[in-house]
Amino acid sequence: MDIKTLHDADIIGITTAKTAFDTLATAFVQHKDNWQSEVINRLNRSQWTGTAAGHAQTRIQLLENELQAAQQEIGLVSKALQDAYDGFAAAQSHLISALDDAKTHKLTVAADGGITWDKDPNSANFAGADAENQAKLIQARITAALNEADHADKAISARLGHLATNASDGTALDSATAKADTDAANALQQIPAAGTDPKNVKDWWNSLTDAQQQRLILNHPDQLGNLDGIPAAARDQANRTNLKNLIQDRKRQIADLGPEPDLYLGSIKGEPATNPEHEKWKAKRDALQEKIDGFQSIQDRLDGKKDGGLGGPNSDPPLLLLGIGDQGQGRAIVSWGDPDKARNVSSLVPGLNSTMAGVGGGDAMTAKRIYDSAVSSATTNGDAPSVASVFWLGYDAPQLDGPSVLTEDRAVAGGADYNKFLAGLRTTHEGEPAHVTAQGHSYGSLVVGQATQHPGGLAADDIVLVGSPGTGVDKASQLGVGADHVYVGAAKNDPVANAPSPGMLGGLGELIYEQINHPGKQGWFGTDPASGDFGGQRFSVADGTTTDSHDNYFGKHGAGGDSLPNVGKIVSGHGNTITRQDPR
C-alpha cells in the first residue's frame, strides 16, 4: 500500500457493492419465502403418500437446507464488505489527517513518504525549530495508516476469497460450512474470555481489521486491557480509558452512599452510643476512597505530575499501562518501554505491603531504576540499549494487617496469573524472542516460584530473587530455567530473607520433619535461595540494616551496594559479569 493509492481510493465503491449484495439478499429471502409458500406448504397440505412421496420430501428438505445455507453465505459477504469499508475509511482518514498536519507544519511529503522542509529561518516557508521532531511524528502516523490499510486489505481479501470459493465450488450450499463461516464471523466480535491461551487471543486479534480493533478498545477497554495476548500498545490504550472510567465510577459510588450518618445516636448511661450505620457508611467510603487514591496515583503518573514528568506525555522511555483493575485490592501493571519491541524485558513481582498507590509512586520508580541500570549495562558492554522494565502488581500482595504473608495462598493464585502474563509477552513480542528476566522481591519471589511450576514452565530466560523468604521449591534447578540462570540477592541484615522456617518455630519435632523432607538451610517457604543447598548464583549486595536492607535491592536512595548494578547486568543479558557473593 502506498500513499497515493490509499489517498485516492474510492471506498464508496465498497458501499455500492454492499448495497448490491443487500439487494440480492433481500431478493433471495423473498425467493426462499416463495419456495416455502408455493412448494413446501402445498405439499404439506396434500394427501400424497408412498415411496415417491418419501423421496420427494427428502429432496425438498435438502433443497431447503441448501437455500438456508446460501442465504447465510450471502449475508456474510455483505458483512465482510461493511467491515472492509470501515477499515479502509479509518485508514484513509488517518492518512489524510497526517498529511493535513504536515501542511500545517509546512512539511512536504513525497510520494514515497519521505518528508522535507525549508530550514531557512528567514524564509516565509520556514518550518520552525521543531520541524524534525514533527516530521518524525507525522511520518510515523503515515506509516501506521498505510499498515492499517494493508492489514484491512489482507484480512478482508481472505474473508471474501473464502466466501467466493465456497460459492464457486458449491460448498456454500452446505449447512455445516455455512454454520462454520457464520460462527467465524461472529467470533470476530466476541472477545475471548479471561484466561484464554494468549496464542489464541493473538490469532483472534490479528484477524480483526484496525477499525474493528479500535471499536473494541473503545467499547470494551476493561476486557481488552487485561487480556494476555493483546499487544502492549493496544492494552495501554484500553487501560488508559478504563482507568478514567474506574476513577469516575468509584466517585459515583461514593456520591451514591449519601450524606454521612450521625456518629452517635445519643447516650447510654451518660456515655455516647455509636451509630452502627455510621460505621457501615465509613467502611464503604474508606474502601472506595482507597481504590480512588490508588487509581489516581497511577493517573497522576501517566499525566506527568510526579518526579519531573517521568511517565507523562512524551516521557522517554514511554510508560505503558499494561493492566488495571479493581479486583481484590486492585491490579496495576506498568512498563517503562514497550515489551513487544525491546530485546531485553524485565518483569518485577513485588511483595509485602504493595498497593496500587505505590505503583503510581515509588514502585514505578523502582522499575525505572531497573530500566536505567539495564541500559547502562548494555551500553557498557557495547550493545545498543533495548529495554522494557515491567512492574507487575497482578495479584493481592499480602499486607501486614493479617496472616496472609505467612501462607502460600496468594502466591499460588498470583503465580498462575503471572505465568499467563509472561506467556502473553512472549506471544505478542515482535521479531526475535526477547531475553526475559522474571524478578521477585520478598513475597513476590514466592509468586515467581509458583509461576514456574505450571505446565510448560515460565516464559523467562533468567530469574532474579531478592529478599526472598523462599520460592516453594528446594532447588534452583526446579525453577525450569537452569540453576545457572537463577540469581539470588540476600542482604546480611534482611529480616525477611533471614526468616526461619515455620518448623524452627514449631518445636523440635517439626524441625526434624522439615529437615528430613526439605533438606538444606530452610527459609519460610522452602530452601533458603541464598544457601548453597539451593544452588543458585548469589550476587553481592550491601549488608544494610534490619530496618532498610529489605527495601534497598533496587537502589532506593542510592543504597544496596552492587545489588542494582547486578540486576541491570542480568536484565541486559550479561549475568556472567555480576559481582558474586558466597552462598551462606
Side-chain angles (χ1 to χ4, degrees):
M1 186 67 66
D2 56 60
I3 292 176
K4 180 173 175 53
T5 300
L6 179 57
H7 184 275
D8 297 343
D10 181 13
I11 59 175
I12 297 300
I14 302 176
T15 318
T16 303
K18 179 186 180 300
T19 301
F21 266 93
D22 289 343
T23 301
L24 174 62
T26 300
F28 196 90
V29 170
Q30 184 61 53
H31 171 69
K32 186 168 171 290
D33 289 346
N34 289 341
W35 164 266
Q36 177 75 35
S37 174
E38 299 299 325
V39 178
I40 296 177
N41 291 347
R42 285 191 179 188
L43 284 176
N44 289 338
R45 291 194 299 268
S46 72
Q47 302 300 315
W48 188 24
T49 59
T51 302
H55 287 312
Q57 291 288 355
T58 299
R59 179 55 183 160
I60 287 170
Q61 183 61 57
L62 177 61
L63 288 173
E64 184 177 6
N65 293 342
E66 290 178 341
L67 288 172
Q68 178 63 34
Q71 180 183 338
Q72 289 179 261
E73 292 278 300
I74 292 173
L76 292 176
V77 173
S78 177
K79 181 173 178 55
L81 289 171
Q82 180 62 57
D83 288 342
Y85 175 81
D86 292 343
F88 288 126
Q92 189 178 62
S93 174
H94 294 155
L95 174 65
I96 291 173
S97 175
L99 295 176
D100 287 345
D101 285 350
K103 290 180 180 178
T104 300
H105 290 283
K106 298 182 179 180
L107 304 174
T108 302
V109 181
D112 63 357
I115 300 179
T116 58
W117 60 92
D118 190 336
K119 300 178 182 179
D120 182 2
N122 299 315
S123 171
N125 292 318
F126 177 52
D130 194 40
E132 183 174 2
N133 182 53
Q134 291 298 330
K136 289 179 181 179
L137 294 174
I138 290 173
Q139 193 164 51
R141 289 168 58 191
I142 291 172
T143 299
L146 296 177
N147 290 340
E148 186 178 354
D150 190 52
H151 182 193
D153 185 40
K154 290 177 180 177
I156 297 301
S157 292
R159 288 171 63 184
L160 291 176
H162 172 73
L163 294 171
T165 298
N166 288 354
S168 62
D169 65 14
T171 53
L173 301 178
D174 177 66
S175 297
T177 297
K179 181 180 184 306
D181 290 344
T182 300
D183 290 344
N186 291 337
L188 295 176
Q189 305 301 320
Q190 294 174 355
I191 299 173
T196 299
D197 187 308
K199 292 181 180 178
N200 293 336
V201 172
K202 182 185 178 185
D203 289 342
W204 166 77
W205 184 253
N206 289 343
S207 71
L208 305 174
T209 65
D210 289 71
Q212 290 171 320
Q213 292 173 354
Q214 285 301 309
R215 281 202 299 270
L216 289 171
I217 288 173
L218 292 173
N219 295 330
H220 305 283
D222 55 328
Q223 293 174 262
L224 287 175
N226 297 298
L227 191 58
D228 298 317
I230 299 294
R235 291 181 71 159
D236 176 62
Q237 183 183 351
N239 285 320
R240 286 171 184 261
T241 298
N242 192 36
L243 176 59
K244 290 182 170 61
N245 293 342
L246 287 168
I247 292 172
Q248 292 303 315
D249 183 64
R250 295 306 171 276
K251 288 181 176 179
R252 178 191 58 76
Q253 289 186 44
I254 285 182
D256 289 345
L257 291 176
E260 181 176 0
D262 292 335
L263 178 59
Y264 300 110
L265 291 175
S267 62
I268 300 176
K269 296 181 179 180
E271 295 294 328
T274 302
N275 182 359
E277 292 303 314
H278 180 273
E279 294 178 358
K280 293 178 183 178
W281 180 93
K282 187 176 185 304
K284 291 179 180 178
R285 186 191 182 285
D286 288 350
L288 288 168
Q289 189 62 51
E290 183 178 3
K291 286 286 181 68
I292 290 175
D293 292 343
F295 292 138
Q296 190 61 55
S297 175
I298 296 169
Q299 185 64 63
D300 289 345
R301 170 69 64 182
L302 295 172
D303 289 341
K305 296 180 179 179
K306 297 186 176 186
D307 299 303
L310 280 174
N314 302 317
S315 176
D316 184 18
L319 184 65
L320 279 63
L321 185 60
L322 301 184
I324 196 71
D326 63 352
Q327 308 96 305
Q329 296 167 189
R331 304 286 187 267
I333 309 170
V334 297
S335 175
W336 296 98
D338 188 342
D340 287 348
K341 302 180 185 298
R343 289 195 304 274
N344 296 294
V345 177
S346 164
S347 180
L348 172 63
V349 182
L352 180 65
N353 275 352
S354 296
T355 64
M356 279 196 302
V359 174
D363 292 336
M365 295 311 297
T366 294
K368 178 61 166 56
R369 288 193 296 274
I370 293 172
Y371 174 94
D372 291 340
S373 182
V375 167
S376 176
S377 172
T379 303
T380 299
N381 285 278
D383 300 337
S386 180
V387 179
S389 178
V390 178
F391 191 91
W392 188 87
L393 184 61
Y395 80 116
D396 282 337
Q399 306 295 306
L400 276 178
D401 58 359
S404 56
V405 73
L406 304 178
T407 68
E408 295 185 355
D409 296 353
R410 296 194 180 195
V412 171
D417 290 335
Y418 186 62
N419 181 285
K420 190 79 71 177
F421 174 74
L422 287 193
L425 292 189
R426 278 283 194 224
T427 300
T428 58
H429 192 269
E430 302 172 11
E432 293 294 320
H435 166 250
V436 177
T437 302
Q439 299 195 57
H441 175 226
S442 186
Y443 189 91
S445 64
L446 179 61
V447 176
V448 172
Q450 294 299 307
T452 67
Q453 302 305 295
H454 288 262
L458 187 63
D461 302 288
D462 291 309
I463 290 176
V464 174
L465 310 168
V466 292
S468 175
T471 62
V473 302
D474 295 321
K475 299 287 184 181
S477 58
Q478 295 174 289
L479 296 177
V481 296
D484 56 336
H485 287 277
V486 177
Y487 300 87
V488 181
K492 178 181 179 180
N493 296 313
D494 183 348
V496 176
N498 294 314
S501 74
M504 293 181 182
L505 303 178
L508 180 60
E510 290 188 32
L511 176 57
I512 293 174
Y513 175 85
E514 286 289 327
Q515 292 297 335
I516 292 175
N517 290 277
H518 303 284
K521 187 180 186 308
Q522 290 299 298
W524 192 268
F525 299 110
T527 304
D528 175 9
S531 70
D533 295 310
F534 189 73
Q537 299 198 60
R538 188 178 181 190
F539 57 85
S540 61
V541 305
D543 292 344
T545 69
T546 55
T547 57
D548 69 7
S549 56
H550 190 64
D551 292 330
N552 289 342
Y553 292 103
F554 302 108
K556 185 177 181 181
H557 304 308
D562 288 343
S563 183
L564 179 60
N566 281 327
V567 169
K569 292 172 183 178
I570 298 164
V571 170
S572 67
H574 297 284
N576 60 317
T577 66
I578 59 171
T579 56
R580 300 177 182 274
Q581 189 169 359
D582 292 336
R584 57 190 179 196

